[in-house]
Amino acid sequence: MARGIRLNGDRGLAWAALGIALLAGALVATALPAAALDWQPALAWREPWRWWSAAFVHWSARHLAVNVVGVAAVVAWGWVARVPARSALAWAAAWPVTHLALLAQPQLAHYGGLSGVLHAGVAIVAVRLLVRERGARCAIGAAVLGALALKVVLEAPWRGALPTVPPWDFAVAPLAHASGAAVGALLGAWAARPRRGRLASTR
């Protein structure tokens, strides 16, 4: 039971800490060679740190700036929703799995950025609100989850990476968004399920 209390406590602190870690890693990576960190399917098993480090790589200052704003938004989303440490654990687990899913598209020879992991974070919080809340908060979770699903479908990840188009100065990988959203939803459902000990204590 003590373990359950730890995982279901803190209400946003662990979530914010993980967001700060992602941001710090991205900033540090600007001083490191991208080729040593980015996602490359040919090196996925030989150099498994790329499952994590790919999130830190950004292809331009604009790419980094967009994802810094994204981290702030996802951290605020989890903080306002007061997600417990269990949700942060789900987000941490979604981080490498999101990138491993890119093996389904081997023609994506290089990938870097936080967008896939951020999509996972949005999905985790939305699922928690949908499963554990009532009324307006539940409706918000359902609406965000629906909007996220619609975004993924409209991006058509099965077509491969999107070409560089203004105002972006980098190509977009819809599969990373799709895998992040799907993995986040699955792990978010795990994190949102009632704990046995908690159920027993309410009887």
Side-chain angles (χ1 to χ4, degrees):
M1 179 159 309
R3 185 182 178 189
I5 292 172
R6 285 198 301 272
L7 287 178
N8 288 289
D10 92 36
R11 298 300 175 182
L13 292 177
W15 185 268
L18 181 54
I20 292 170
L22 288 168
L23 181 57
L27 295 176
V28 170
T30 60
L32 301 173
L37 303 174
D38 71 332
W39 173 260
Q40 297 181 37
L43 300 176
W45 301 111
R46 198 186 325 159
E47 300 178 356
W49 65 81
R50 295 176 186 272
W51 308 353
W52 288 268
S53 64
F56 300 145
V57 175
H58 291 84
W59 306 117
S60 69
R62 179 174 292 179
H63 187 196
L64 176 60
V66 168
N67 276 337
V68 166
V69 173
V71 170
V74 175
V75 167
W77 171 232
W79 183 266
V80 171
R82 292 174 55 79
V83 295
R86 193 174 182 82
S87 294
L89 181 61
W91 194 17
W95 179 354
V97 179
T98 291
H99 298 133
L100 277 175
L102 298 179
L103 288 171
Q105 204 167 74
Q107 65 270 31
L108 187 64
H110 295 271
Y111 169 79
L114 283 160
S115 59
V117 178
L118 294 179
H119 277 68
V122 171
I124 288 167
V125 178
V127 168
R128 180 168 184 83
L129 291 176
L130 179 64
V131 172
R132 300 299 293 269
E133 301 289 346
R134 298 291 181 270
R137 287 169 67 87
C138 177
I140 290 172
V144 170
L145 204 58
L148 191 62
L150 179 62
K151 177 181 182 294
V152 165
V153 171
L154 291 177
E155 287 181 339
W158 55 87
R159 294 180 182 171
L162 296 178
T164 302
V165 294
W168 310 121
D169 55 359
F170 54 89
V172 176
L175 181 60
H177 302 171
S179 63
V183 170
L186 289 172
L187 290 174
W190 166 82
R193 80 190 197 285
R195 299 282 291 168
R196 286 185 181 179
R198 186 167 183 171
L199 286 175
S201 66
T202 60
R203 290 175 182 170

